[in-house]
Amino acid sequence: MASLTNISLLLWLSLLLLCASTVPVMAQWPGGRSTRLYEFKIQTMRVTKLCNSKEIVTVNNMFPGPVVYAQEDDRIIIKVTNQSPYNATIHWHGVRQRLSCWFDGPSYITQCPIQPGQAFTYEFTMFQQKGTFFWHAHVSWLRGTVYGGLIVYPKTGVPYPFKYPYEEHTIILGEYWLQDVVQLERQVIASGGPPPPANAFTINGHPGPNYNCSGNDVYKIDVVPGKTYLLRLINAGLNMENFFGIANHKLTIVEADAEYTKPFTSTRVMLGPGQTINVLVTADQPIGKYSMAMGPYMSAQGVAFQNISAIAYFQYLGALPNSLSLPAKLPNFNDNLAVKTIMDGLKSLNPVNVPKEIDTNLFVTIGLNVQKCGSKTPQKSCQGVNNGVMAASMNNISFVKPNISVLEAFYKKIDGFYTDDFPGAPLKFYDFVNGAPNNIPNNTNAANGTRAKILEYGSRVQIIFQDTGTVTTENHPIHLHGYSFYVIGYGTGNYNPQTANFNLVDPPYMNTIGVPVGGWAAIRFTADNPGVWFMHCHIEIHLSWGLGTVLIVKNGKGELERLPHPPADLPRC
């Protein structure tokens, strides 16, 4: 009898274990094939650049920070401890965060910042994603130095859709200020005017020989003649879009924003902040030292910018170390055609499934504004155009971050921190590109507010972004968190549905789209990832001025269509 009881107890226990192992835990989905563990310590370190020594905020005392490596479908767990004097968060740029919105990282959107001395563990799965991503701070201008690569390889045994390169190199483009970037942002916002240009551009943290005291502060790749290299290009800059090219060498684009593209060859590429491009380069020139150059693309009128290129070396084995480097020819700083040519060449590798019918149509104007000066000390705080205060907006709403995260307010149904009335179109239609003065009758003094747009789960969304000439037309790199989207069309002038050409066969699948200067871009996606998702210009000063909004995607009905509970260690405001 006792043995029978033991057998039934064993059976019962094994059944219990079986149930425990097969019951899906919603918060864990998707589980990930293997888990990659990382520790990030955000801390200050002293660096000497451009004849100047100063403290900068970094991760693990590295500048740029450590590269995170994974494979498609891997789970990534990163414990971030903030040992710096500033509030911090980390955003995993381009990661779609399926059912893991709590770990997306933009401050006051999905989480409160990690305060000095506190820690937070980010957990997410690279679900059906591979390619070149990056991570960066997403609070104030801290991402000026807090950034690094996130490289996700295909699953074991799955080849690249191009010839395997001899070597791969991650190339991160950045901007460097001699000033503390957090204090710099405070000063610029307090002034009401534009920011000063960066003191230098950098390639993997090195400015190269064109600046003061930087003759030896140069990044270099040693290459074998005849071999082909994969360069993973990332623009982690704050306020500038950039051209990149290698003297006498062709670049074949094979991936944009972590999605394969049809191979497309050019002598240069342009990346806005937040964009990544993979290029193949073959060392097919005479043995020598060739410049890899990063220079400015500035499409706005009357804006001061750094016009000295950062240089790195693409150096053949056998070249004399002290030989002069051959200079790279970059387009003029305002060459819009060069940018259009690159955009025209981007097509998805294979035909894609673009939503053909649309449930939600949004028309979103983007651009700068000038608010009236209400200050008692206008010389100090009204240094914008016409002695006003600079602002930026979408559909003439300048986004204001609340003091708790929008995601917490939405999830816990806390009133008073945001409204759900972001307009689906501007209140007035006129000639946005050429006829938008900052006065009556088209007064575009933007309204301030934390306004969100609510999307039903599964709805098929089209957004037309329209650049405006209120202050100046400009190419704006617009980034959508939590999603990639099909870029089905773009053009110059005001968007006209009668004449707009859409590519519904093989458009590129991106997470950051450069809306053309004085033009428009059209994107489509299916809202199948519940959560609160920031949509903003990735030029940091424009974000500081309010060029953003929030898309809230409601839960669906199915088990894997609902946002799990917040993590226990979510930072408090």
Side-chain angles (χ1 to χ4, degrees):
M1 183 73 193
S3 59
L4 261 177
T5 310
N6 284 348
I7 288 165
S8 56
L9 189 66
L10 277 169
L11 269 171
W12 180 77
L13 268 172
S14 58
L15 269 171
L16 195 69
L17 280 168
L18 189 69
C19 287
S21 64
T22 54
V23 170
V25 181
M26 189 174 66
Q28 291 299 310
W29 181 88
R33 294 161 68 248
S34 56
T35 301
R36 313 277 171 172
L37 298 168
Y38 284 87
E39 277 213 63
F40 276 19
K41 288 188 166 53
I42 301 175
Q43 50 205 181
T44 55
M45 70 180 247
R46 185 158 284 278
V47 294
T48 302
K49 286 189 188 301
L50 313 175
C51 322
N52 183 286
S53 186
K54 68 162 195 169
E55 297 271 321
I56 63 169
V57 181
T58 60
V59 168
N60 297 356
N61 277 328
M62 294 167 71
F63 176 63
V67 181
V68 172
Y69 292 100
Q71 275 182 296
E72 181 178 355
D73 288 347
D74 277 354
R75 188 162 193 76
I76 300 177
I77 299 177
I78 303 178
K79 184 183 180 185
V80 177
T81 305
N82 186 5
Q83 299 174 344
S84 83
Y86 303 112
N87 281 347
T89 68
I90 302 289
H91 168 55
W92 315 94
H93 187 106
V95 176
R96 294 199 274 269
Q97 297 289 0
R98 287 297 299 233
L99 299 190
S100 52
C101 186
W102 297 105
F103 303 106
D104 188 40
S107 60
Y108 302 106
I109 307 298
T110 62
Q111 67 166 98
C112 298
I114 308 165
Q115 294 174 28
Q118 301 294 307
F120 178 47
T121 300
Y122 291 89
E123 280 191 51
F124 52 89
T125 300
M126 297 307 303
F127 180 62
Q128 295 178 351
Q129 284 193 277
K130 56 187 175 294
T132 301
F133 306 83
F134 73 116
W135 55 263
H136 60 77
H138 212 304
V139 59
S140 69
W141 285 12
L142 210 55
R143 77 174 180 85
T145 56
V146 179
Y147 59 77
L150 168 56
I151 309 302
V152 183
Y153 293 101
K155 294 174 188 173
T156 307
V158 177
Y160 292 141
F162 44 82
K163 190 180 163 216
Y164 207 80
Y166 179 69
E167 272 180 6
E168 300 183 15
H169 294 272
T170 300
I171 307 270
I172 308 185
L173 313 179
E175 285 175 281
Y176 190 83
W177 274 267
L178 292 173
Q179 247 182 299
D180 178 289
V181 285
V182 177
Q183 288 169 348
L184 180 66
E185 187 206 23
R186 286 180 193 143
Q187 284 169 16
V188 169
I189 298 307
S191 79
N199 296 99
F201 296 125
T202 58
I203 297 174
N204 284 349
H206 302 280
N210 289 350
Y211 304 95
N212 288 339
C213 306
S214 61
N216 296 322
D217 196 353
V218 192
Y219 178 73
K220 176 168 70 93
I221 297 175
D222 289 314
V223 300
V224 177
K227 299 293 187 189
T228 297
Y229 293 80
L230 180 70
L231 304 185
R232 298 176 178 269
L233 306 174
I234 297 167
N235 190 342
L238 275 182
N239 292 329
M240 279 300 293
E241 303 189 291
N242 295 97
F243 290 110
F244 176 87
I246 304 178
N248 298 15
H249 287 74
K250 289 192 168 70
L251 313 174
T252 299
I253 299 170
V254 291
E255 179 189 301
D257 280 4
E259 295 288 337
Y260 293 134
T261 61
K262 291 185 171 71
F264 166 63
T265 301
S266 173
T267 53
R268 63 280 175 109
V269 291
M270 195 288 284
L271 296 93
Q275 291 185 308
T276 71
I277 291 179
N278 285 8
V279 296
L280 293 172
V281 186
T282 301
D284 56 5
Q285 295 301 303
I287 286 175
K289 186 156 78 170
Y290 297 85
S291 290
M292 294 193 281
M294 166 200 183
Y297 169 52
M298 173 50 77
S299 55
Q301 303 292 314
V303 177
F305 61 92
Q306 174 59 260
N307 63 357
I308 299 172
S309 295
I311 299 292
Y313 296 138
F314 192 74
Q315 186 165 320
Y316 285 61
L317 288 174
L320 295 171
N322 55 358
S323 60
L324 289 173
S325 65
L326 287 152
K329 290 189 185 71
L330 292 180
N332 287 337
F333 73 88
N334 57 358
D335 190 340
N336 299 325
L337 184 61
V339 176
K340 180 184 183 301
T341 307
I342 296 154
M343 198 59 219
D344 286 348
L346 294 182
K347 303 274 189 285
S348 281
L349 180 61
N350 301 306
V352 290
N353 187 18
V354 185
K356 302 295 192 291
E357 273 148 38
I358 298 302
D359 305 304
T360 303
N361 228 320
L362 304 179
F363 185 95
V364 178
T365 57
I366 52 176
L368 307 185
N369 305 78
V370 186
Q371 316 287 50
K372 291 186 176 65
C373 178
S375 167
K376 292 191 173 77
T377 54
Q379 291 83 11
K380 276 188 184 168
S381 47
C382 301
Q383 294 175 18
V385 177
N386 298 336
N387 305 115
V389 175
M390 299 304 294
S393 62
M394 286 187 169
N395 279 350
N396 227 35
I397 311 294
S398 206
F399 186 81
V400 179
K401 285 184 176 178
N403 50 17
I404 72 165
S405 82
V406 180
L407 180 57
E408 279 184 88
F410 170 70
Y411 186 85
K412 296 174 180 171
K413 299 183 172 59
I414 309 169
D415 288 338
F417 291 99
Y418 72 92
T419 56
D420 60 6
D421 57 350
F422 179 81
L427 296 176
K428 288 185 194 135
F429 275 76
Y430 47 85
D431 180 349
F432 295 114
V433 173
N434 308 300
N438 216 67
N439 51 32
I440 297 165
N442 299 328
N443 188 348
T444 56
N445 254 322
N448 294 333
T450 311
R451 299 201 198 178
K453 179 70 185 174
I454 308 278
L455 299 173
E456 294 297 326
Y457 184 90
S459 58
R460 295 157 298 186
V461 183
Q462 174 174 288
I463 306 178
I464 309 290
F465 295 110
Q466 174 69 59
D467 186 29
T468 61
T470 314
V471 176
T472 171
T473 55
E474 186 171 357
N475 185 299
H476 291 276
I478 302 294
H479 173 50
L480 174 57
H481 290 228
Y483 289 88
S484 293
F485 44 76
Y486 295 108
V487 181
I488 57 168
Y490 49 89
T492 51
N494 296 299
Y495 172 72
N496 179 345
Q498 264 72 52
T499 56
N501 260 332
F502 283 176
N503 171 9
L504 301 178
V505 178
D506 58 357
Y509 197 43
M510 305 180 81
N511 60 58
T512 306
I513 173 61
V515 177
V517 51
W520 56 272
I523 69 168
R524 286 185 185 178
F525 63 96
T526 300
D528 57 1
N529 190 14
V532 170
W533 306 109
F534 208 10
M535 182 171 78
H536 63 91
C537 181
H538 220 275
I539 291 174
E540 204 68 11
I541 182 61
H542 293 177
L543 179 55
S544 302
W545 284 339
L547 216 177
T549 190
V550 168
L551 303 181
I552 298 179
V553 179
K554 287 156 77 168
N555 281 332
K557 302 278 195 296
E559 189 169 5
L560 298 181
E561 297 175 356
R562 306 180 69 77
L563 189 66
H565 297 305
D569 64 338
L570 191 71
R572 303 269 174 268
C573 282

